[in-house]
Structure formats: C-alpha cells, structure tokens
Amino acid sequence: MANKKLTAPARLWYGGCMLKAVIFDVDGTLGDTLPLCIETYRRIAEEVTGRRPAAGEVTRHFGLSDRGVLGALLGMEPDDPALPVSRMVEIYCALHPAMAPAPFAGAVEMLRGVAEAGMRVGVVSGKEAYTAEPTLRFFGLRGLIEWAGYGEPTHNAKAARLQEVMRLWNLQPHELVYVGDAPSDITQARAVGVRIVNAAWSPSAPAEEQACLQLHPDFRLTDMAQLLPLLRSL
C-alpha cells in the first residue's frame, strides 16, 4: 500500500510551522509486541482462574494500563494489593525474547535520525512502566527516549500524557506529532489538537485499516522507512 497523506486542509493549517518533538506509541509502533501482551494476559489469567481467555477478551480492554487490563480479566480492582502484577511481569519478560526478539527493523536508526534532525523524542504508551520499561530496555531503545508517559488503569490517558509533555517541553500542539498504530491513538491525539501519524507497518495493521482510515489520520504510513523523511518535511 502506498503512503497515504490525509486531511490536506490540516496540512495547510500547519504549513510553515517547525516540528519540535515526536512522541511514539510502543506496542505495534516501535515493535511487534501485541502478540506478547496478549499471550502474557492469557497465561496469567489462566494461572489465576484456571480458564484461558480468548484473545478478544484481552484486547477489548486495551487502552487501559497493565493493572487495568489485568484487573478486568481477573475481576479485581486495579489497586488491589493482591493483583498479581509481579507474576504478570515475570511472564512478560520470560516470553519477550522468543515472541518479540527485536524492535521493528530500522526503529533504532529512525529514532536516532529524529533526534539528529533536532526533534525531541518521547513515548506515550497505554502500558505502565511495569512492561513498557522492560520492552524499551530489551529493544535497546531506552537511551534514545528523552521522556516517557504511561497509562492509567481506569481509562485511556494518552491525551492527558500528550498534554503533559507539551507543558513540560513548552510546546504548542502544532509543534508535536504523535505516532501510533491504533484507532484510539488517532482519537486521543485529535482530542488535544496534535497531529497523528498512523503507524500501519505492523503485521496486525491490516485488521484495523478501515477503522483507522475512517478517523482520517493526518498521515498513514505502511513502511517505517517513510517516517523520517515525512517528519523532516513538516
């Protein structure tokens, strides 16, 4: 699929404004970690309840943080001290080398290129640090990320995290771009006036193509190699 650049009026509105920062989602954007996340939740749920949930039972809670998804699957409150977060992280880290051995090809070079082009680099993920930090370290990306904002167990908090980084870095919405793969990434970026690049280069992207296109992201890229040239042009 060719690179799709959308919403021309939005591009004209932002014309001439220099991009100062790029914020990335993690799962499905920097690496193919969605299968790892699903399998982790299925295993921990089976350990605790004796029943292995279907993948769809897990993914319908995505957007919530680690504790939010786990609590929903186990019928527990996310702040319950008995919630088996440590065991979940243990499973996640044990599965990581086999299920997500590396970030997407070119991710390291792309992040370096963004920084070398003078743009600040951050992460906003629905995950919490419990699983996001192991992934960033395992992929060798942590040293390339200046700031990270993570999720909440009760709601999708990406819009709030984008506002947080704008305050921290003294940015206007037009000076920031968010790169994420999910339909909810588009709506969360839109909610705070931030441009969105729909990252459609993961194996799971075709399943959500129509849902993403119906939300009219500013850009939809099917090849990560297209991203750095696009960012340099904004």
Side-chain angles (χ1 to χ4, degrees):
M1 181 186 299
N3 173 21
K4 295 183 178 180
K5 297 184 178 181
L6 305 175
T7 59
R11 296 188 68 219
L12 292 174
W13 174 263
Y14 291 119
C17 297
M18 182 175 293
L19 185 63
K20 294 183 179 179
V22 186
I23 306 296
F24 293 87
D25 175 43
V26 177
D27 296 322
T29 299
L30 294 177
D32 187 20
T33 46
L34 289 168
L36 166 63
C37 296
I38 294 168
E39 180 62 17
T40 297
Y41 287 120
R42 296 180 79 186
R43 289 199 186 189
I44 186 64
E46 186 175 22
E47 280 191 9
V48 174
T49 68
R51 188 183 76 85
R52 182 176 172 84
E57 294 179 67
V58 175
T59 58
R60 73 184 181 187
H61 300 297
F62 281 5
L64 303 181
S65 70
D66 302 341
R67 290 175 298 131
V69 176
L70 185 59
L73 290 172
L74 301 183
M76 300 173 66
E77 293 298 321
D79 58 353
D80 189 331
L83 194 69
V85 175
S86 295
R87 177 56 182 155
M88 178 197 68
V89 175
E90 183 180 355
I91 294 170
Y92 183 87
C93 291
L95 292 175
H96 214 310
M99 295 197 69
F104 287 126
V108 171
E109 294 78 11
M110 179 273 295
L111 290 173
R112 286 176 177 158
V114 172
E116 289 168 0
M119 293 170 267
R120 303 181 81 167
V121 178
V123 159
V124 163
S125 173
K127 300 159 83 75
E128 288 180 78
Y130 298 115
T131 57
E133 290 293 334
T135 287
L136 293 175
R137 289 194 298 268
F138 184 78
F139 282 169
L141 304 178
R142 194 61 188 91
L144 303 174
I145 305 298
E146 182 178 347
W147 179 88
Y150 296 131
E152 297 286 346
T154 58
H155 63 282
N156 191 321
K158 289 185 175 181
R161 297 291 89 81
L162 289 171
Q163 288 180 314
E164 184 179 342
V165 73
M166 284 190 284
R167 289 193 297 269
L168 181 66
W169 288 352
N170 193 28
L171 299 173
Q172 296 299 312
H174 64 262
E175 296 174 319
L176 176 70
V177 161
Y178 186 50
V179 183
D181 65 305
S184 60
D185 293 333
I186 301 171
T187 58
Q188 290 287 299
R190 285 268 187 266
V192 292
V194 169
R195 284 176 288 179
I196 176 73
V197 175
N198 182 213
W201 47 71
S202 78
S204 60
E208 294 193 310
E209 178 178 3
Q210 290 307 311
C212 289
L213 290 176
Q214 287 172 5
L215 293 169
H216 304 293
D218 296 284
F219 306 94
R220 177 178 171 86
L221 304 182
T222 58
D223 185 346
M224 183 183 281
Q226 300 169 317
L227 181 59
L228 184 56
L230 171 64
L231 297 173
R232 286 171 170 160
S233 74
L234 297 180

